[in-house]
Amino acid sequence: MPHFTVVPVEDKHRADYDSVEGLSWVDYREPAAAPAAADSYDTVSSDGHGNHKENSPFLNSSEAGKGGDYYDRNLALFEEELDIRPKVSSLLGKLVNYTNLTQGVKEHEEAESTDGSKKKVSKSPSMGTLMGVYLPCMQNIFGVILFLRLTWMVGMAGVLQSFLIVLLCCCCTMLTTISMSAIATNGVVPAGGSYFMISRSLGPEFGGAVGLCFYLGTTFAGAMYILGAIEILLTYIVPQAAIFYPSGAHDASSAMLNNMRVYGTVFLILMAVVVFVGVKYVNKFASLFLACVVISILSIYAGAIKSIFDPPEFPICMLGNRTLIRDQFDVCAKTIVKDNITVASKLWENFCHNTNLTTENCDEYFLLNNVSEIAGIPGAASGILKDNLWSNYLEKGEILEKEHHPSVDAAGQKNNLHLYVLSDISTSFMVLVGIFFPSVTGIMAGSNRSGDLKDAQKSIPVGTILAIVTTSLVYFSCVLLFGACIEGVVLRDKYGDAVNKNLVVGTLSWPSPWVIVIGSFFSTCGAGLQSLTGAPRLLQAIAKDNIIPFLWVFGHGKANGEPTWALLLTALIAELGILIASLDMVAPILSMFFLMCYLFVNLACAVQTLLRTPNWRPRFKYYHWALSFLGMSICLALMFISSWYYALVAMLIAGMIYKYIEYQGAEKEWGDGIRGLSLSAARYALLRLEEGPPHTKNWRPQLLVLLKLDEDLHVKYPRLLTFASQLKAGKGLTIIGSVIQGNFLETYGEAQAAEQTIKNMMDIEKVKGFCQVVVANKVREGIAHLIQSCGLGGMKHNTVVLGWPYGWRQSEDPRSWKTFIGTVRCTTAAHLALLVPKNVSFYPSNHERYNEGNIDVWWIVHDGGMLMLLPFLLKQHKVWRKCKMRIFTVAQMDDNSIQMKKDLATFLYQLRIEAEVEVVEMHNSDISAYTYERTLMMEQRSQMLRQMRLTKTEREREAQLVKDRHSIARLESLYSDEEDEGDPVPENIQMTWTKEKCDAEKRNRGSAVGSFRDLISIKPNQSNVRRMHTAVKLNEVIVNRSHDARLVLLNMPGPPKNTDGDENYMEFLEVLTEGLERVLLVRGGGREVITIYS
């Protein structure tokens, strides 16, 4: 960590700096530290040449004396920005006084505000590595499985496979801890633990899904600990406390399950009440519970050492090679000598059902095999280890047998099975992995307490890794000791039936089996309380983040923040685990949820490491993405090894929560890795797209929709967006562009508001795309900028959607239609396709359905196939799906129309487009009087408007000359750019008249009147007459055939190269589309967009 030294500087040296390269001396101390009565240098500075000048014009002495952050005399250069860019001193002060609370949680602020002047002094975190991380992790990792199931696991799997199971599980948690340490040391970790880390690293969707999985895992862990405590209580401490007793010899298991359910529910209620009344008592007793665990483990080691020279006496009675339940008889023999008379033992009575030593009703196996006693705990020096190295898996109901023990194979009676020690469940390597894994969970205990740690970034990695190393060594040594000290059949005896209902691990312990029984009972109860304390807080943290709306009620609790409702839900879910009533069934369930959580911790670390985001700078350096991926793989493998169906269910639950948050949850921007991953993927894809233009098969319309906004910044024609959404059907790129006229510095806020308005409208119309608003001095320039610069790399638009300028004939202002034609020219120059929906207000909304009707395509000139592709794309949308497609093409007199129809049908068949085909013949006819008259009216109107605009321009020019004598440049610009015709002009023009000006004005008026007279004698241009003739004839044919069509698509002719004919061009388009309700004018971009090849 870098060290800083602050050196005080004496004021008397300040003058030494005044003449050095024009630098003024600057005081970086707090304003309060400087004396209020400033010396003679306060109001002067140097100009670099030794000449002192006054500072008062820039910062007066009254402001300098305030001493506030805003008017700091030494930061006058930045004074206008100090409200958004604070001083370094105040920033560092805020960072140092950071409160270790979850982001977004304001309880501490609310508590301060309710007390008024009595502000609560926040207690600074003071826990170190040992008390804050190491011991809590140890307490959470060591649990019920170590005492109740580890001996059984060693017996079933053998020492070697048990080593493998422990190694797999410990590797999984160690790799997860490395990943967790990297995430936890990447910045300040507020309280929130694993949920906070995953959600802030992988985003709200993953965070919520994994957070809930971790919550369910912790809740089921509570149920498992309670079941473990009840098993210890009813099996080893007070068996007579059972409520249900077996009615027959084979009902023992069901009676036990019912007892577990009743006592488990009672224990759960008691624990929930304890947690509700005072969680502080749970925390106070945590050290006591941990002491129980440590004493129990030490007693195991002590017993193992003692067994070397003095093994404990726990004889096992064997019938042949079969293990007998010891509490069914007193003496391990068939007969006993009583008063010098041989009589039947209790064992003989059980197998032969008589006391007179007759054999007719005896069990055959009993008669043929001898009864023998072997030591249950031979001791570490006995060499029993070699017998326990290998696995000995059993099916449910199978009798525990000792290999290589003398026996005669014979069929025994089924009704005597209750006398033998039986396997209660089928076992395999996979089953044992699922049952053992919960005994290595609990590694998150340190990160959950991050808010209480003095230095979380140091304590979490060190404490957690040390805890895992310690617990792993204990597990490995216990596996070895159990295999070396305890007889195999006793190890496989889950409930200690062969050793007179003693806890198997207790038989090894010293000084008494009760040390482990009592110690494990209290430690298990403590672990259950810890789970019921932690789980509701985790649920409350998820609810307060508001990423899952239906959980909001669980964010509330008591006045002191205790999660009451969350505790209630936790107790109900834990009750489900208790109703299962079997420790071996509940353990795999919570294994799934914990493994899912650990998998995503590893994924979070791997994603962050591979993305190399600038913010990824963990203090813990011993991590690598390969280790994280290995941890992920082990987690996934363990999930499917232990129980593939539970794994699928856990994944399904997580997936459903993920999709729910994605669709319904609140939008959260946490700077998570998934957003970073999206950015990297987008960058990679864009760079790949940049390699060349798309193939014709991949061509699709990427739209730039040019929207017009009214004065209130509302979208003028929202149906343009509707049409865009119908055309795209949610696929490809859509950019909605708009131009605001003005100066960017002045209208930036307006542009932001306009962008938000457009985005809201896009949401309403279900348009998936981007929005871009440009501020420009002229609308035409803004549109040109949008056409040129929208998009990025290969994701650029190739089609422009442009609204029709309605009312252009009635408007004196020519800017609207000039902008329209300018945009058409821009798109043509940029080789982009152009779509102009005319009468867009009549286009259907997304809620309408056309159950019948036609989409008519008038294919007059080939324009790259856009006319064929667009109806096909529209028909993908539900609005147009049931419409039929008709294609009309125009044949001249010298064309073979029959052959044209056949060729067109073949072409459409090869394009895989279903459409009716019609060829319309256009006969050569004389130009009608109507056409001639229409052309004449068009040209007269055009000439008249030009004259009117000229007169108006003359008046404006006079006003400008009077206003500014030096405006020659502006006078020329009036004719250089037509858009300047729209510049604002004063309404009341004051003019100074001279004789010459008066004569000139009269002459101008006379010439204007003369030019209006000339309009009557105008003759129409022949090329205009021919164009008008084509437009009229085509319009007649189109209206005749397509007057009832739902939509008409036709080629849009290009604008004339000579700009003088722009008004005529608009008139041609009006005549061409006259009498049609919905028209889509289409102009191709100069490339093929549809192909017959696959």
Side-chain angles (χ1 to χ4, degrees):
M1 184 174 176
H3 295 277
F4 298 96
T5 306
V6 180
V7 181
V9 181
E10 295 294 332
D11 284 355
K12 63 184 179 181
H13 296 302
R14 292 169 65 175
D16 299 341
Y17 295 90
D18 278 354
S19 58
V20 181
E21 295 294 332
L23 294 171
S24 294
W25 186 87
V26 181
D27 183 6
Y28 285 102
R29 296 173 299 172
E30 284 291 316
D39 57 19
S40 57
Y41 295 103
D42 277 347
T43 54
V44 290
S45 65
S46 171
D47 61 2
H49 304 286
N51 305 319
H52 295 286
K53 58 186 179 184
E54 288 190 357
N55 282 342
S56 55
F58 305 100
L59 188 69
N60 61 44
S61 56
S62 64
E63 287 174 335
K66 287 180 183 177
D69 279 354
Y70 198 87
Y71 294 107
D72 194 309
R73 64 180 181 279
N74 296 320
L75 294 175
L77 194 61
F78 302 97
E79 67 181 17
E80 291 185 357
E81 295 180 317
L82 282 177
D83 53 342
I84 54 169
R85 298 180 185 183
K87 289 198 307 178
V88 174
S89 57
S90 58
L91 173 71
L92 291 174
K94 285 176 186 171
L95 288 176
V96 169
N97 294 325
Y98 175 80
T99 53
N100 284 300
L101 290 178
T102 310
Q103 289 182 1
V105 179
K106 297 187 178 177
E107 287 90 352
H108 63 299
E109 294 175 9
E110 291 165 4
E112 287 178 3
S113 63
T114 52
D115 285 357
S117 59
K118 295 180 183 177
K119 292 194 175 182
K120 292 181 183 177
V121 180
S122 60
K123 187 181 172 185
S124 62
S126 58
M127 280 191 173
T129 304
L130 181 71
M131 292 301 294
V133 181
Y134 180 72
L135 292 179
C137 282
M138 290 269 288
Q139 185 189 352
N140 277 267
I141 293 171
F142 285 136
V144 65
I145 302 293
L146 170 64
F147 303 117
L148 292 184
R149 294 290 182 270
L150 190 58
T151 52
W152 174 72
M153 185 187 87
V154 174
M156 291 293 181
V159 172
L160 295 179
Q161 287 194 23
S162 296
F163 269 139
L164 183 59
I165 291 171
V166 174
L167 182 68
L168 265 176
C169 295
C170 291
C171 279
C172 174
T173 51
M174 178 59 84
L175 292 170
T176 304
T177 300
I178 291 170
S179 299
M180 183 192 74
S181 300
I183 299 170
T185 58
N186 186 47
V188 179
V189 182
S194 57
Y195 162 69
F196 181 89
M197 287 191 294
I198 295 167
S199 61
R200 269 55 176 183
S201 297
L202 289 179
E205 295 88 1
F206 278 112
V210 180
L212 275 183
C213 281
F214 192 56
Y215 163 74
L216 290 171
T218 311
T219 306
F220 275 104
M224 184 189 76
Y225 289 130
I226 292 172
L227 289 173
I230 302 302
E231 186 178 310
I232 294 168
L233 181 74
L234 292 181
T235 310
Y236 308 114
I237 300 177
V238 276
Q240 57 272 25
I243 299 171
F244 300 94
Y245 291 96
S247 55
H250 305 289
D251 293 338
S253 60
S254 60
M256 184 64 182
L257 291 179
N258 288 329
N259 284 321
M260 299 274 273
R261 289 181 182 116
V262 172
Y263 275 100
T265 305
V266 172
F267 263 55
L268 176 64
I269 292 167
L270 287 173
M271 287 185 178
V273 169
V274 169
V275 172
F276 176 76
V277 170
V279 73
K280 58 186 176 184
Y281 301 115
V282 178
N283 294 329
K284 279 182 181 175
F285 284 113
S287 53
L288 174 66
F289 298 140
L290 179 62
C292 291
V293 175
V294 173
I295 292 168
S296 301
I297 291 169
L298 289 176
S299 74
I300 295 172
Y301 287 118
I305 293 167
K306 179 178 173 290
S307 74
I308 297 172
F309 49 84
D310 183 18
E313 288 289 329
F314 281 100
I316 303 166
C317 191
M318 307 290 294
L319 175 62
N321 63 353
R322 296 180 180 178
T323 314
L324 296 171
I325 294 179
R326 190 68 202 222
D327 65 347
Q328 303 278 351
F329 52 90
D330 47 0
V331 180
C332 183
K334 291 185 180 181
T335 59
I336 54 172
V337 178
K338 202 170 188 183
D339 298 329
N340 291 326
I341 302 169
T342 304
V343 294
S345 68
K346 182 73 175 167
L347 196 61
W348 183 283
E349 290 180 26
N350 287 336
F351 278 98
C352 296
H353 311 294
N354 63 52
T355 56
N356 56 10
L357 296 178
T358 55
T359 59
E360 62 266 10
N361 294 325
C362 282
D363 188 301
E364 187 184 354
Y365 187 85
F366 176 73
L367 289 174
L368 293 175
N369 286 281
N370 293 323
V371 175
S372 59
E373 260 191 348
I374 61 171
I377 314 290
S382 64
I384 195 73
L385 179 63
K386 64 179 185 296
D387 294 336
N388 291 333
L389 281 177
W390 311 109
S391 63
N392 195 345
Y393 296 117
L394 300 174
E395 292 298 317
K396 184 177 180 180
E398 214 173 316
I399 300 170
L400 267 62
E401 297 177 348
K402 179 173 172 58
E403 282 187 13
H404 312 302
H405 203 67
S407 71
V408 178
D409 197 16
Q413 294 175 4
K414 279 192 175 181
N415 59 355
N416 289 331
L417 282 175
H418 67 280
L419 300 170
Y420 299 110
V421 180
L422 305 176
S423 171
D424 66 331
I425 61 168
S426 299
T427 53
S428 66
F429 180 82
M430 299 179 178
V431 170
L432 294 182
V433 167
I435 291 173
F436 177 73
F437 188 79
S439 63
V440 295
T441 60
I443 58 172
M444 298 290 184
S447 62
N448 289 343
R449 294 165 176 257
S450 53
D452 302 324
L453 298 173
K454 193 184 297 179
D455 184 1
Q457 298 190 4
K458 178 186 170 188
S459 297
I460 288 174
V462 174
T464 311
I465 290 172
L466 278 177
I468 287 179
V469 170
T470 308
T471 51
S472 301
L473 289 174
V474 168
Y475 285 134
F476 280 120
S477 60
C478 282
V479 167
L480 191 62
L481 289 176
F482 294 159
C485 297
I486 304 176
E487 171 60 49
V489 287
V490 179
L491 287 173
R492 289 190 286 281
D493 182 5
K494 188 188 284 184
Y495 301 111
D497 291 326
V499 284
N500 210 10
K501 293 286 184 185
N502 274 304
L503 181 61
V504 174
V505 70
T507 59
L508 182 63
S509 65
W510 179 87
S512 165
W514 285 101
V515 175
I516 291 235
V517 172
I518 302 297
S520 59
F521 177 74
F522 279 113
S523 69
T524 307
C525 289
L529 280 171
Q530 292 281 2
S531 296
L532 288 179
T533 306
R537 276 157 183 71
L538 183 59
L539 182 63
Q540 189 181 37
I542 297 168
K544 281 190 174 177
D545 266 342
N546 198 28
I547 54 172
I548 304 175
F550 69 80
L551 290 180
W552 66 271
V553 70
F554 300 110
H556 306 295
K558 290 196 284 189
N560 60 353
E562 288 296 315
T564 312
W565 292 107
L567 176 63
L568 185 63
L569 180 69
T570 303
L572 289 173
I573 296 172
E575 177 63 20
L576 294 177
I578 283 166
L579 291 176
I580 294 171
S582 169
L583 188 70
D584 303 316
M585 294 289 286
V586 174
I589 296 174
L590 65 104
S591 293
M592 287 307 123
F593 290 124
F594 279 121
L595 280 166
M596 182 83 75
C597 178
Y598 296 167
L599 185 146
F600 282 106
V601 170
N602 285 303
L603 175 65
C605 181
V607 166
Q608 297 278 29
T609 309
L610 288 173
L611 287 177
R612 296 194 184 96
T613 49
N615 190 50
W616 181 246
R617 302 185 298 275
R619 286 195 180 282
F620 181 78
K621 300 296 181 189
Y622 308 103
Y623 68 93
H624 193 269
W625 63 265
L627 290 176
S628 299
F629 270 115
L630 181 61
M632 272 177 62
S633 308
I634 293 175
C635 287
L636 199 61
L638 286 175
M639 284 175 73
F640 282 94
I641 283 172
S642 56
S643 177
W644 62 268
Y645 45 90
Y646 278 159
L648 291 176
V649 169
M651 286 179 163
L652 183 67
I653 291 171
M656 286 166 62
I657 298 166
Y658 179 95
K659 296 309 286 183
Y660 176 79
I661 296 171
E662 191 176 40
Y663 286 112
Q664 295 290 330
E667 281 292 323
K668 300 280 181 185
E669 180 51 71
W670 287 331
D672 49 85
I674 294 297
R675 303 289 165 97
L677 193 63
S678 303
L679 279 172
S680 293
R683 174 183 166 274
Y684 174 76
L686 282 170
L687 290 173
R688 288 287 302 276
L689 282 173
E690 193 73 83
E691 289 174 6
H695 190 273
T696 306
K697 287 189 287 187
N698 294 328
W699 194 95
R700 62 194 66 192
Q702 314 283 27
L703 302 181
L704 168 61
V705 183
L706 297 173
L707 279 188
K708 192 172 184 182
L709 302 176
D710 59 18
E711 294 81 6
D712 299 325
L713 300 181
H714 293 141
V715 178
K716 209 165 186 182
Y717 302 113
R719 282 295 161 87
L720 273 176
L721 290 173
T722 313
F723 172 70
S725 73
Q726 291 168 7
L727 185 61
K728 297 302 293 178
K731 307 284 193 306
L733 175 73
T734 306
I735 302 172
I736 311 298
S738 188
V739 179
I740 290 179
Q741 200 168 355
N743 184 350
F744 178 71
L745 295 176
E746 295 168 2
T747 55
Y748 176 71
E750 201 175 320
Q752 293 288 94
E755 193 168 323
Q756 193 55 49
T757 304
I758 293 172
K759 281 179 180 174
N760 293 340
M761 188 57 71
M762 287 169 71
D763 288 340
I764 292 167
E765 296 295 341
K766 294 185 173 60
V767 177
K768 295 186 185 299
F770 309 98
C771 172
Q772 191 160 352
V773 176
V774 169
V775 179
N777 288 326
K778 296 177 183 175
V779 175
R780 206 184 308 173
E781 286 178 7
I783 290 174
H785 291 324
L786 283 173
I787 289 171
Q788 290 176 74
S789 61
C790 272
L792 185 64
M795 283 294 280
K796 288 183 79 72
H797 56 277
N798 54 29
T799 306
V800 177
V801 179
L802 180 63
W804 178 261
Y806 300 102
W808 67 273
R809 283 174 173 156
Q810 291 75 26
S811 173
E812 283 188 20
D813 186 2
R815 278 184 297 174
S816 62
W817 57 265
K818 279 185 179 287
T819 302
F820 174 80
I821 295 174
T823 307
V824 175
R825 287 198 174 100
C826 278
T827 54
T828 307
H831 301 290
L832 301 175
L834 179 68
L835 307 179
V836 181
K838 198 161 179 280
N839 303 329
V840 77
S841 307
F842 297 117
Y843 276 55
S845 70
N846 285 327
H847 305 295
E848 293 179 47
R849 301 283 185 279
Y850 286 149
N851 293 322
E852 56 182 1
N854 300 311
I855 299 176
D856 287 357
V857 176
W858 285 85
W859 193 21
I860 298 159
V861 293
H862 181 59
D863 217 358
M866 278 283 284
L867 284 167
M868 313 289 178
L869 189 61
L870 290 173
F872 171 78
L873 294 174
L874 278 174
K875 283 185 68 177
Q876 307 304 308
H877 197 272
K878 55 192 173 185
V879 172
W880 305 91
R881 190 164 292 151
K882 294 187 178 177
C883 291
K884 292 180 179 175
M885 185 173 161
R886 298 191 301 184
I887 295 184
F888 298 90
T889 188
V890 176
Q892 303 295 324
M893 285 300 292
D894 51 350
D895 292 329
N896 184 346
S897 57
I898 297 169
Q899 187 61 39
M900 271 181 74
K901 186 171 183 177
K902 284 183 182 176
D903 293 345
L904 182 55
T906 306
F907 179 58
L908 287 175
Y909 177 77
Q910 290 173 334
L911 286 177
R912 290 92 63 202
I913 290 176
E914 292 181 13
E916 294 179 23
V917 176
E918 287 194 40
V919 176
V920 178
E921 294 183 351
M922 292 269 290
H923 300 288
N924 287 334
S925 59
D926 294 333
I927 294 167
S928 64
Y930 169 74
T931 305
Y932 195 85
E933 185 185 345
R934 189 81 187 249
T935 314
L936 182 64
M937 283 169 60
M938 175 184 76
E939 295 198 359
Q940 283 178 344
R941 180 180 172 281
S942 177
Q943 188 70 18
M944 190 186 305
L945 285 170
R946 201 174 289 120
Q947 291 290 346
M948 286 168 68
R949 279 200 297 278
L950 217 66
T951 314
K952 185 181 175 185
T953 308
E954 286 288 334
R955 288 203 310 273
E956 290 167 6
R957 186 181 60 174
E958 287 292 338
Q960 288 293 339
L961 281 168
V962 172
K963 189 177 177 184
D964 185 6
R965 292 174 182 275
H966 308 287
S967 58
I968 304 300
R970 282 187 66 84
L971 186 66
E972 290 172 356
S973 74
L974 279 168
Y975 298 97
S976 63
D977 193 333
E978 295 151 331
E979 193 138 357
D980 280 346
E981 292 163 3
D983 285 350
V985 182
E987 290 183 8
N988 300 320
I989 302 170
Q990 302 293 329
M991 301 183 72
T992 307
W993 292 93
T994 60
K995 190 173 185 304
E996 291 80 7
K997 280 187 180 177
C998 189
D999 293 340
E1001 182 65 20
K1002 284 177 181 175
R1003 279 199 302 276
N1004 284 340
R1005 285 181 181 173
S1007 65
V1009 173
S1011 61
F1012 281 126
R1013 285 199 192 102
D1014 293 342
L1015 286 174
I1016 299 164
S1017 58
I1018 196 169
K1019 286 191 174 181
N1021 185 306
Q1022 279 303 309
S1023 66
N1024 283 346
V1025 172
R1026 278 189 290 106
R1027 287 195 178 94
M1028 185 62 78
H1029 174 65
T1030 306
V1032 169
K1033 292 294 290 178
L1034 269 175
N1035 179 255
E1036 282 177 9
V1037 173
I1038 293 168
V1039 170
N1040 185 33
R1041 298 294 185 96
S1042 302
H1043 59 88
D1044 59 346
R1046 298 295 188 187
L1047 181 65
V1048 177
L1049 289 84
L1050 57 107
N1051 292 108
M1052 180 178 182
K1057 292 178 182 176
N1058 183 8
T1059 54
D1060 291 341
D1062 283 356
E1063 284 170 278
N1064 301 342
Y1065 171 69
M1066 294 296 294
E1067 192 69 43
F1068 294 145
L1069 292 180
E1070 284 283 11
V1071 171
L1072 186 62
T1073 57
E1074 212 165 36
L1076 297 171
E1077 188 179 18
R1078 283 180 286 270
V1079 185
L1080 181 63
L1081 295 168
V1082 181
R1083 184 163 172 73
R1087 61 162 294 172
E1088 292 292 329
V1089 300
I1090 197 165
T1091 178
I1092 62 172
Y1093 300 107
S1094 63

